[in-house]
Amino acid sequence: MLVIVCYDVNTETREGRRRLRRVAKLCESIGQRVQKSVFECQVDRVRFEMLERDLVAEIDAAQDNLRLYRLAELRGYEVREHGRFRATNFDAPLIL
């Protein structure tokens, strides 16, 4: 399934900036950044649940916002892109 992860971490404190870096690193390890705090992740159900658990453990629910959108392939999904887009198409052949 395709998962869109969006977050807004309060960075007014040193701890907030550390949370932001940890959340970004978690997302980078699983998906690809499409905007500063938006990631696309291609995962199965188990990996999705692990990602959600890990991200919830990192944020401060009183100050931060985390949103995960699951787009199941069975229902089909459509992504419309406008403007400059630098993401990798993992369904196409990868040339190294």
Side-chain angles (χ1 to χ4, degrees):
M1 76 181 82
L2 177 65
V3 175
I4 307 297
V5 179
C6 310
Y7 55 85
D8 185 16
V9 176
N10 183 329
T11 58
E12 293 175 358
T13 65
R14 174 179 243 160
E15 180 55 36
R17 291 186 291 275
R18 288 211 300 291
R19 283 195 317 274
L20 176 64
R21 285 191 299 274
R22 290 192 307 258
V23 167
K25 280 188 175 199
L26 266 171
C27 291
E28 287 171 344
S29 72
I30 299 214
Q32 62 183 344
R33 186 184 300 263
V34 293
Q35 291 187 3
K36 289 191 184 233
S37 59
V38 180
F39 285 79
E40 288 180 352
C41 307
Q42 198 69 272
V43 294
D44 60 19
R45 185 168 184 79
V46 172
R47 192 76 167 143
F48 169 74
E49 290 174 3
M50 289 172 48
L51 174 63
E52 182 177 25
R53 182 192 66 225
D54 293 345
L55 288 170
V56 167
E58 290 295 341
I59 68 163
D60 179 344
Q63 299 183 48
D64 307 331
N65 184 298
L66 171 68
R67 299 174 72 91
L68 296 101
Y69 298 90
R70 281 186 340 168
L71 304 171
E73 292 181 28
L74 295 175
R75 295 185 197 125
Y77 55 84
E78 177 181 351
V79 177
R80 293 185 183 193
E81 303 166 13
H82 302 279
R84 188 172 178 201
F85 191 67
R86 291 180 239 159
T88 303
N89 180 358
F90 291 105
D91 294 329
L94 295 176
I95 299 172
L96 301 174

